Amino acid sequence: MKEDYIKLIFGLKLKQIRTDNKLSLFGLSKLSGLSKSYLNEIENGKKYPKPDKIAILSEKLDVPYDQMVSLKLDKNLAPIGDLLQSKILKEIPLELFGIKENTLIDIVANAPAKVNAFISTIIEIAQHYSFSRESFFLASLRSYQEANNNYFDDLEQSVLKFVKAYQLDLRQTVSSKDLEEILIEEYGYSIIENELSKYEALGNLRSVFVPKTHTLLLANGIDEAQRTFIYAKEIAYNFLEIKDRLYTFPWIKFESFDQVLNNFYASYFAGALVIPKDELTLQLETVFEKETFDKALFLQILKAFNTSPESFYQRLTNILPKAFNIKNLFFLRITHKADSEKFYLNKELHLSHQHSPRANETNEHYCRRWVSLKVLKDISISKNSHEFDIQISNYPSHDTKYLVLSSATKDPFRNNQYRSISIGLLINKQLERKLKFLGDKTIKKQEVGVTCERCAISNCKVRQAPAIILDQAAKNKKTEIIVEELNAKF
């Protein structure tokens, strides 16, 4: 066991025993003959006393020597011990968030009871909502993206260095053929296309990388855009010299937060390579300068890059905050099976703050007025390869409006299943200055809620459930008012 952990556990136990005995540090110093500063360093996990000093503390505090040196913690401190002994603090690169590990240790040492209560609360919430280790890592990654407005200049510069080194012309569409040649010639890859189809259990995988032989196995049926993105990610792993990586796309499991973070870095690099920042910025400016929304032009831009709608919308979350200073936005991916009434929000990103449409874990019904759900319904009926729509969504309960652009496509690896990708931009004075077409009368305006259970819109023809949570909140408020009136009366 690590020396730091042993010192910290001893310090936590000593502080608990001292406080249980109603002793101050000064009082324990007088009782034991040990200096106050020395005892303070012990309690903060910075020093571990020698056996003779432990014997003195054991005698003066009337605690058996073996109990003092035992690494076993009582129930009040056990959650802290579990946290410190786990790999969580080591797996998450705290420096990404400007936090030093010793800062956390000091917090734990200085207020163990309060920290313990906080940790216990977090654990209870996590268990109640089935919040797994994977969920925790992904939530940490989203927080990291949001803290940086989802723009990473070092990765953008790495892409430009790669382009210069391999003499790619970003004014031309980047193709899988361009990248395949680099993978084979520069990085010694072998690419095999028919192997994954032999295993039914691998039906959801698009690629598997075998590091020992530098072999990339590709699924049958992937289109040109998917192939290009896979190649671009593999190039990212190599060009960025990333060793601790995931080997399947999409990922099946990961061993550490570093793998999650490195997977994000590689994906970001791939998106920046296939959809160059300067080119996309110029094309978006032409859309934003028009007095009316030019749907055909927007779709033309989307199709101009060798990429999927999902990658395109994700790239918008990089470019809009950086190039246009549009930082209040959300990104959603929702999946839907054609013969079902269920919709699953399984990927989201919120920049600047938490926006109104968001995932919930309580089996509530997402608002059917969302354009994200409308395009899913449209494509499940039309069977087209792509459905697009735009809408101004007004959330009366939150007093916010969003311009929402949404695309739906068929899931190529799941029968009868579709997914929609949406980006929502908070409508404020700044957005009105940036997007001249916001006054376009042809853009549909719709009052929406988050879920039916929390929605106050009356006479909604697409409501899936009564507003039970809203009703309960209203009842609670009414009860509160009556109680206040009774207090004033009597």
Side-chain angles (χ1 to χ4, degrees):
M1 300 183 70
K2 292 193 174 181
E3 184 181 342
D4 289 344
Y5 172 74
I6 296 173
K7 287 192 291 187
L8 185 60
I9 291 300
F10 186 90
L12 288 172
K13 293 182 74 170
L14 179 60
K15 176 176 280 191
Q16 185 184 41
I17 295 167
R18 174 177 64 77
T19 54
D20 286 348
N21 282 276
K22 305 294 189 295
L23 282 170
S24 65
L25 267 176
F26 181 85
L28 181 58
S29 175
K30 294 284 287 182
L31 181 66
S32 65
L34 304 175
S35 74
K36 180 182 171 183
S37 60
Y38 178 64
L39 291 170
N40 185 55
E41 287 187 300
I42 293 173
E43 288 192 356
N44 284 313
K46 295 177 180 176
K47 284 190 176 179
Y48 191 87
K50 292 181 179 179
D52 60 324
K53 302 294 192 297
I54 298 175
I56 293 172
L57 291 168
S58 171
E59 178 188 350
K60 298 301 181 182
L61 292 170
D62 194 25
V63 176
Y65 185 99
D66 290 346
Q67 183 179 329
M68 291 202 72
V69 298
S70 169
L71 294 173
K72 186 177 180 180
L73 294 169
D74 65 21
K75 65 178 182 180
N76 293 324
L77 292 177
I80 295 175
D82 292 341
L83 176 70
L84 296 173
Q85 201 171 6
S86 72
K87 297 180 180 179
I88 291 293
L89 294 181
K90 293 295 182 184
E91 288 180 336
I92 298 178
L94 296 170
E95 66 275 5
L96 291 179
F97 302 96
I99 301 172
K100 294 182 179 180
E101 186 178 349
N102 61 352
T103 304
L104 287 183
I105 300 302
D106 287 342
I107 292 171
V108 172
N110 287 320
K114 293 179 180 179
V115 174
N116 171 55
F118 174 73
I119 293 170
S120 298
T121 301
I122 295 298
I123 291 172
E124 186 173 338
I125 292 172
Q127 290 173 340
H128 182 71
Y129 287 99
S130 300
F131 195 70
S132 64
R133 175 173 172 267
E134 288 78 8
S135 299
F136 179 73
F137 284 163
L138 293 174
S140 300
L141 175 60
R142 282 197 302 272
S143 296
Y144 175 54
Q145 291 176 255
E146 291 161 7
N148 290 276
N149 289 315
N150 205 30
Y151 183 83
F152 297 87
D153 193 62
D154 54 340
L155 294 173
E156 300 280 350
Q157 295 305 316
S158 293
V159 168
L160 296 180
K161 289 177 184 177
F162 171 78
V163 167
K164 183 177 180 180
Y166 290 92
Q167 289 297 291
L168 292 177
D169 185 357
L170 292 185
R171 293 170 298 180
Q172 304 295 323
T173 302
V174 177
S175 71
S176 63
K177 186 176 180 181
D178 297 329
L179 304 184
E180 183 178 278
E181 186 178 8
I182 295 171
L183 282 176
I184 294 172
E185 295 295 330
E186 187 70 12
Y187 298 115
Y189 272 52
S190 297
I191 299 174
I192 300 175
E193 302 206 22
N194 299 314
E195 186 66 24
L196 296 186
S197 61
K198 298 176 182 178
Y199 307 91
E200 185 178 349
L202 303 184
N204 293 332
L205 296 184
R206 293 161 177 76
S207 68
V208 174
F209 178 65
V210 183
K212 185 177 180 180
T213 58
H214 266 59
T215 301
L216 182 63
L217 306 174
L218 297 179
N220 290 341
I222 61 172
D223 59 26
E224 168 62 12
Q226 291 168 336
R227 183 186 297 268
T228 302
F229 185 78
I230 292 168
Y231 288 171
K233 276 191 71 175
E234 291 300 323
I235 283 175
Y237 281 128
N238 286 275
F239 189 76
L240 299 175
E241 298 182 348
I242 295 173
K243 304 300 181 187
D244 193 6
R245 55 161 292 180
L246 301 174
Y247 296 109
T248 64
F249 177 64
W251 57 266
I252 301 172
K253 65 174 184 176
F254 43 76
E255 303 298 333
S256 67
F257 181 75
D258 281 344
Q259 290 182 345
V260 178
L261 185 63
N262 289 337
N263 180 69
F264 166 71
Y265 285 155
S267 296
Y268 189 104
F269 183 102
L273 176 59
V274 177
I275 311 174
K277 175 171 69 75
D278 292 344
E279 184 62 26
L280 178 57
T281 301
L282 286 173
Q283 296 198 35
L284 288 175
E285 285 175 349
T286 62
V287 175
F288 294 169
E289 288 295 321
K290 289 180 174 288
E291 296 292 334
T292 58
F293 179 69
D294 193 331
K295 176 180 175 180
L297 179 59
F298 180 79
L299 293 178
Q300 179 182 322
I301 295 171
L302 190 155
K303 295 174 182 176
F305 300 98
N306 187 12
T307 188
S308 67
E310 179 167 354
S311 295
F312 180 80
Y313 280 70
Q314 284 185 332
R315 188 64 172 142
L316 290 179
T317 68
N318 309 138
I319 301 305
L320 292 177
K322 179 63 178 179
F324 298 94
N325 202 31
I326 299 173
K327 297 179 179 179
N328 286 289
L329 60 84
F330 64 80
F331 168 92
L332 306 177
R333 180 179 69 197
I334 300 173
T335 58
H336 169 64
K337 200 166 185 177
D339 56 358
S340 169
E341 281 300 319
K342 292 185 177 181
F343 296 84
Y344 299 94
L345 202 174
N346 51 27
K347 190 171 187 179
E348 61 181 322
L349 180 71
H350 298 261
L351 296 189
S352 182
H353 63 271
Q354 191 79 5
H355 298 280
S356 295
R358 56 189 178 271
N360 69 84
E361 301 291 340
T362 53
N363 296 318
E364 295 175 35
H365 298 77
Y366 293 119
C367 178
R368 269 26 182 199
R369 295 174 175 226
W370 288 3
V371 67
S372 311
L373 273 57
K374 177 185 176 297
V375 291
L376 283 169
K377 282 290 189 182
D378 290 345
I379 198 169
S380 65
I381 295 171
S382 70
K383 307 299 183 184
N384 292 332
S385 60
H386 181 213
E387 288 283 349
F388 171 82
D389 207 349
I390 184 172
Q391 175 178 296
I392 292 178
S393 294
N394 176 34
Y395 288 81
S397 59
H398 299 102
D399 194 28
T400 54
K401 292 182 180 179
Y402 295 89
L403 175 74
V404 185
L405 300 92
S406 189
S407 288
T409 59
K410 186 182 184 304
D411 188 326
F413 293 91
R414 293 180 176 88
N415 291 330
N416 214 28
Q417 190 150 316
Y418 302 89
R419 57 192 174 198
S420 70
I421 309 299
S422 305
I423 188 167
L425 313 178
L426 180 67
I427 296 178
N428 51 26
K429 293 296 183 183
Q430 182 195 32
L431 192 71
E432 290 171 354
R433 290 194 297 269
K434 299 286 184 180
L435 276 58
K436 292 186 178 179
F437 65 77
L438 269 183
D440 186 350
K441 301 296 184 183
T442 65
I443 298 176
K444 183 179 179 180
K445 297 177 176 62
Q446 181 79 280
E447 286 200 345
V448 300
V450 178
T451 66
C452 295
E453 288 81 353
R454 302 170 188 268
C455 181
I457 299 173
S458 59
N459 303 318
C460 178
K461 295 180 180 179
V462 291
R463 179 180 287 280
Q464 300 294 303
I468 54 175
I469 294 178
L470 208 62
D471 292 343
Q472 186 60 52
K475 288 178 182 177
N476 292 343
K477 185 63 177 177
K478 187 175 181 179
T479 302
E480 182 183 334
I481 292 171
I482 293 172
V483 170
E484 288 177 355
E485 290 173 351
L486 289 171
N487 284 328
K489 183 176 180 180
F490 295 101

